[in-house]
Amino acid sequence: MKAFQHMKTLFLFFFISTLLFAQSEIKSSIEIPSLFSDNMVLQQKSSAPFWGKALPQTKISIVPSWGKPSVTTAMADSTWRTAVKTPQAGGPFSITMKIGDSVIVLKNVLIGEVWVCSGQSNMEMPLEGWPPNDTIANSANEIREANFPKIRLFNVKRELATEPRFHCSGAWSECIPESAAKFSATAYFFGKKLFQELKVPIGLIVSAWGGTPVEAWTSEHFITQDKEYADFPAKFAQGRKEYAVYMPWLASHKIIDISHRTADERCKELAFDDSLCARTDFNDSGWQSMKIPTEWESTDVGTFDGTVWFRKKIEIPKTWLHKNLVLELGPIDDFDLTFVNGKRVGGLETGSPWDTKRVYDVPAEIVTDSVLTIAVRVIDLLGGGGLWGQPEQLFLHTSESEEKISLVGDWKYLPIAEYRDSKFYLFDIVSREFYKRPPLTNEINAALPTVLYNGMIAPLIPYSIKGAIWYQGEANTDKPEAYETLFPLMIKNWRTDWKSEFPFYYVQIAPFPYGDRIESQRLRDAQFHALAVPKTGMAVTLDISELRTIHPRNKQDVGGRLARWALAKDYKKKIPFSGPLYTSSKIKNNAMILSFEYADGLKIIPKNGKTNFFIAGKDSVFKDANVIVKGKTVVVNSPEVKNPIAVRYTWGNTLEGTLFNKAGLPASTFRTDHWKK
């Protein structure tokens, strides 16, 4: 009897265990995109898609508290999709999702206007800024007053992917000071303006990654339509294979996770078990060499984000012994710790100091030998990395004289940690492990075509949206002609995949001293020509630049100008929405007469005594021009140009806007010619 009872107990145990396991398997098979959560906003008066994954043949029912349920069944590949009719703006509502035996209730749901906000760092830059160098104007007050619970915020976590992802990491939150501080300033000011004007809930989905080019946000299917990327699929396939080997190898290393840190202090006081790299007696003979200054992406290091040590021995005159010295290294991208003879003499580990010149005092007590060892630990989180300034910026000198020793030339270097997805993966220093890592001949990183589309845009499709705003272009200034094709291609890509010709409004990049090799005015010109794409609009920022930084502080006007386009074009508000846009020109009496759209109340406000208009004849030599406003036209001439045929406006990296309409909105960069140079 006891044996029978024991067997019965075992049977019951295994039956319950099997049942619980089966239920667990069913629940684990359910996938719901993070977009569907408490606090979400759905586009009003739309057929809003819902989708997910469940076991094949599972019945799914979406029951909104405002109307009729929508029912569907999971297909053979486990995916399901349906749509819910949404009413006009309002709420809060709830939505019950019944997936088989599982029930998920989404609470505090609003119906309103939903916008996707994407781009690179100027879109990503949060309302709290990246102090001390990159800040938002009036940030403290703006954050304190950011109490708009009917504005909802969704931040897509950074993620690159070699295949389109089904879902992304993120969560909806009400707009309160704590959440707004971490949210895109440009998107916030855009949404705030819409909310104040429309008085309806606003949903903002930010998907942005600093330092990334437009091609990274374009799908493989579309990028290959550009002839320059015809061979991309083969390279990408090879990259996937290498990536599949490399990533498990990388994951086997010790990790430092900085995802919990604030943006300001994410790289502060990080320990990589690397202190010996600063010592004078450390043997760096096995390290490779790099000519400094340069960005390491242009060297054998390649597109590498992470931590790299640089070392150089320098002989100083005996007369410098036991004297205070000054070490100047130019700008370092991004963070550094700098040592001389094993002693720390300086470093910047917080904020966003990538373009800050490093000038460090070297105290006399460590200048005890005629050969000094300079060691610099550099951390770069994205894009260009290293000691990247001009040759004349790198030197050592005494604090008492102008005699200098140049530091330009070969430096020893060793990468010791790779940075991916908010984590550092540490390499062994003694064995110089970086030089032996598995090959990545086709690097998978955030600058590669399609990877951000796959990881950060594809998961948003087909969520019902009103439109998109975009702030990007700085990462494409090296190839502005290609942008004329790539940018409209990306817009077409998104609209095609969303199956919607939604409005697309974007920011023209601001003036910035990129250097002699870059002509950012050509990128601005490409953005101007993108207005030919239907249902687009451009917010011009020629008057609100910060020449000391690539991240202008005034995001209020940026977001506000984007909102003007939406309010005027999509919400039928009778407000000015664009600055003057050049349309045509004619030649008369040794002058050129330029015509503009949106030209009511044209006025010239010179900058530093200049109009920033230039005029040229057949010799293509441009001269500073005289400018007279006549109604909705501008008359341009110069006594140095007798037979003018071309005019250019703000044609330079750092030239700021001088032409405005009566609404105070600036004109775009433009040119009347099509000359290559």
Side-chain angles (χ1 to χ4, degrees):
M1 186 70 180
K2 286 184 179 180
F4 174 78
Q5 192 68 36
H6 179 66
M7 289 179 65
K8 183 178 178 182
T9 302
L10 281 175
F11 174 78
L12 186 61
F13 171 78
F14 283 119
F15 175 77
I16 293 173
S17 298
T18 302
L19 183 62
L20 290 174
F21 178 77
Q23 290 177 340
S24 175
E25 282 290 287
I26 291 172
K27 287 184 178 180
S28 66
S29 69
I30 296 173
E31 287 188 55
I32 305 296
S34 57
L35 284 165
F36 303 116
S37 66
D38 294 346
N39 307 312
M40 68 189 292
V41 181
L42 291 176
Q43 179 62 36
Q44 67 170 325
K45 294 182 283 189
S46 72
S47 184
F50 280 71
W51 68 95
K53 291 184 179 181
L55 290 174
Q57 298 305 310
T58 300
K59 183 180 178 181
I60 294 96
S61 181
I62 310 299
V63 186
S65 63
W66 65 82
K68 296 179 180 179
S70 180
V71 179
T72 190
T73 302
M75 296 186 292
D77 66 354
S78 298
T79 64
W80 61 266
R81 178 174 166 180
T82 187
V84 172
K85 294 288 185 182
T86 59
Q88 67 181 21
F93 299 103
S94 64
I95 299 174
T96 301
M97 304 178 70
K98 298 178 181 179
I99 306 173
D101 294 330
S102 298
V103 178
I104 302 168
V105 180
L106 308 180
K107 301 179 288 295
N108 197 25
V109 175
L110 297 180
I111 308 296
E113 296 295 294
V114 181
W115 288 79
V116 169
C117 316
S118 188
Q120 57 181 110
S121 57
N122 270 306
M123 181 62 80
E124 188 178 32
M125 189 177 185
L127 192 53
E128 66 184 2
W130 294 313
N133 295 328
D134 292 323
T135 57
I136 301 295
N138 200 33
S139 177
N141 287 336
E142 295 285 6
I143 292 171
R144 187 164 48 249
E145 296 173 3
N147 196 3
F148 300 99
K150 288 190 176 181
I151 298 177
R152 302 293 170 82
L153 314 175
F154 188 100
N155 253 325
V156 177
K157 183 182 177 183
R158 284 182 172 190
E159 184 168 6
L160 56 83
T162 58
E163 302 286 351
R165 289 291 171 87
F166 180 74
H167 54 73
C168 59
S169 297
W172 287 98
S173 64
E174 294 185 348
C175 179
I176 58 176
E178 292 77 10
S179 58
K182 308 295 182 185
F183 197 72
S184 161
T186 294
Y188 167 76
F189 289 122
F190 171 79
K192 177 184 174 183
K193 181 71 172 175
L194 292 188
F195 177 74
Q196 291 173 333
E197 293 290 332
L198 302 176
K199 305 294 192 286
V200 300
I202 303 295
L204 303 171
I205 302 171
V206 167
S207 183
W209 190 323
T212 55
V214 69
E215 51 266 39
W217 298 94
T218 308
S219 73
E220 183 174 357
H221 173 70
F222 273 84
I223 199 69
T224 52
Q225 294 178 24
D226 187 299
K227 62 181 181 180
E228 295 297 322
Y229 294 91
D231 61 347
F232 175 72
K235 292 181 178 179
F236 199 29
Q238 178 64 24
R240 286 191 186 103
K241 290 180 182 178
E242 294 175 347
Y243 197 63
V245 173
Y246 186 79
M247 291 308 294
W249 174 84
L250 190 65
S252 68
H253 289 73
K254 180 179 177 181
I255 294 173
I256 298 175
D257 188 339
I258 63 170
S259 60
H260 61 287
R261 293 190 172 207
T262 65
D264 184 42
E265 297 192 343
R266 53 192 166 171
C267 289
K268 185 178 181 181
E269 297 177 356
L270 291 177
F272 296 99
D273 302 330
D274 59 345
S275 59
L276 55 84
C277 293
R279 292 170 46 171
T280 56
D281 60 353
F282 177 71
N283 182 6
D284 61 14
S285 60
W287 291 20
Q288 295 180 11
S289 294
M290 181 187 301
K291 292 192 180 298
I292 299 294
T294 189
E295 292 183 347
W296 68 53
E297 280 74 10
S298 63
T299 73
D300 290 341
V301 175
T303 49
F304 174 85
D305 299 322
T307 307
V308 180
W309 274 93
F310 294 89
R311 287 170 56 94
K312 187 176 182 67
K313 292 185 181 295
I314 192 80
E315 188 171 355
I316 62 172
K318 288 187 169 53
T319 55
W320 287 18
L321 291 174
H322 309 294
K323 289 186 178 181
N324 294 321
L325 304 181
V326 179
L327 176 64
E328 302 202 23
L329 298 172
I332 296 177
D333 192 349
D334 294 302
F335 309 96
D336 78 292
L337 285 180
T338 298
F339 301 80
V340 174
N341 283 357
K343 304 294 184 182
R344 178 174 170 175
V345 297
L348 292 178
E349 295 184 287
T350 60
S352 179
W354 66 277
D355 59 347
T356 301
K357 296 176 184 177
R358 282 17 180 223
V359 180
Y360 300 135
D361 292 327
V362 181
E365 55 264 29
I366 65 175
V367 188
T368 58
D369 193 287
S370 59
V371 176
L372 301 182
T373 300
I374 302 170
V376 185
R377 189 184 79 179
V378 179
I379 299 176
D380 172 58
L381 300 184
L382 184 70
L387 291 79
W388 62 277
Q390 299 300 314
E392 60 271 17
Q393 294 176 312
L394 281 76
F395 57 90
L396 183 70
H397 62 97
T398 71
S399 58
E400 302 170 355
S401 72
E402 296 183 0
E403 185 181 3
K404 300 177 181 179
I405 297 175
S406 173
L407 301 177
V408 172
D410 288 339
W411 287 58
K412 294 292 186 71
Y413 77 90
L414 179 68
I416 62 154
E418 183 165 351
Y419 179 74
R420 288 179 185 263
D421 193 26
S422 299
K423 298 180 181 68
F424 286 96
Y425 298 85
L426 277 57
F427 300 145
D428 182 65
I429 294 168
V430 175
S431 67
R432 302 181 293 280
E433 192 176 15
F434 171 82
Y435 301 137
K436 306 169 186 176
R437 64 179 184 160
L440 280 176
T441 55
N442 294 281
E443 175 67 62
I444 305 292
N445 58 54
L448 192 72
T450 84
V451 294
L452 300 188
Y453 174 89
N454 289 341
M456 300 176 67
I457 296 299
L460 307 180
I461 301 169
Y463 198 84
S464 184
I465 64 173
K466 181 66 174 183
I469 59 172
W470 175 258
Y471 196 165
Q472 188 274 341
E474 298 89 347
N476 287 93
T477 53
D478 59 334
K479 295 181 179 178
E481 291 80 7
Y483 201 79
E484 290 203 30
T485 301
L486 291 173
F487 183 37
L489 184 67
M490 189 207 75
I491 298 172
K492 181 181 179 182
N493 178 183
W494 289 19
R495 287 174 170 174
T496 300
D497 291 357
W498 248 289
K499 295 181 172 59
S500 170
E501 288 295 306
F502 55 74
F504 192 103
Y505 304 126
Y506 57 93
V507 183
Q508 187 183 60
I509 62 172
F512 179 72
Y514 288 92
D516 295 338
R517 293 173 295 175
I518 298 295
E519 293 182 294
S520 60
Q521 65 271 24
R522 294 183 180 272
L523 193 286
R524 294 198 302 271
D525 191 45
Q527 291 177 315
F528 171 56
H529 289 294
L531 288 171
V533 177
K535 298 182 71 174
T536 59
M538 182 174 70
V540 178
T541 60
L542 284 171
D543 59 326
I544 53 176
S545 65
E546 297 271 347
L547 296 182
R548 64 173 185 81
T549 175
I550 205 168
H551 303 122
R553 298 177 67 244
N554 182 354
K555 293 294 191 288
Q556 289 88 339
D557 279 335
V558 177
R561 289 173 186 179
L562 287 167
R564 282 176 175 268
W565 278 94
L567 289 167
K569 294 293 187 179
D570 305 299
Y571 303 112
K572 310 308 177 187
K573 299 289 184 179
K574 294 183 178 180
I575 60 171
F577 54 88
S578 175
L581 296 177
Y582 166 75
T583 57
S584 62
S585 66
K586 60 182 180 180
I587 302 169
K588 185 178 181 180
N589 298 330
N590 284 327
M592 291 192 68
I593 303 172
L594 312 178
S595 297
F596 298 84
E597 283 186 286
Y598 315 117
D600 287 342
L602 280 184
K603 57 185 175 182
I604 293 288
I605 303 176
K607 191 75 174 178
N608 299 321
K610 293 184 177 293
T611 65
N612 293 335
F613 277 81
F614 307 93
I615 193 166
K618 291 181 179 180
D619 60 1
S620 302
V621 177
F622 283 88
K623 302 292 185 180
D624 287 349
N626 300 318
V627 180
I628 300 173
V629 172
K630 287 190 176 181
K632 295 185 178 182
T633 66
V634 173
V635 181
V636 184
N637 62 44
S638 169
E640 298 182 69
V641 181
K642 296 302 181 184
N643 296 295
I645 60 172
V647 169
R648 293 179 174 181
Y649 170 69
T650 59
W651 203 257
N653 281 330
T654 60
L655 297 179
E656 298 175 277
T658 63
L659 178 63
F660 300 82
N661 58 20
K662 70 178 181 181
L665 297 174
S668 165
T669 292
F670 71 88
R671 56 175 172 163
T672 66
D673 66 274
H674 300 285
W675 299 333
K676 292 292 184 183
K677 292 293 182 181

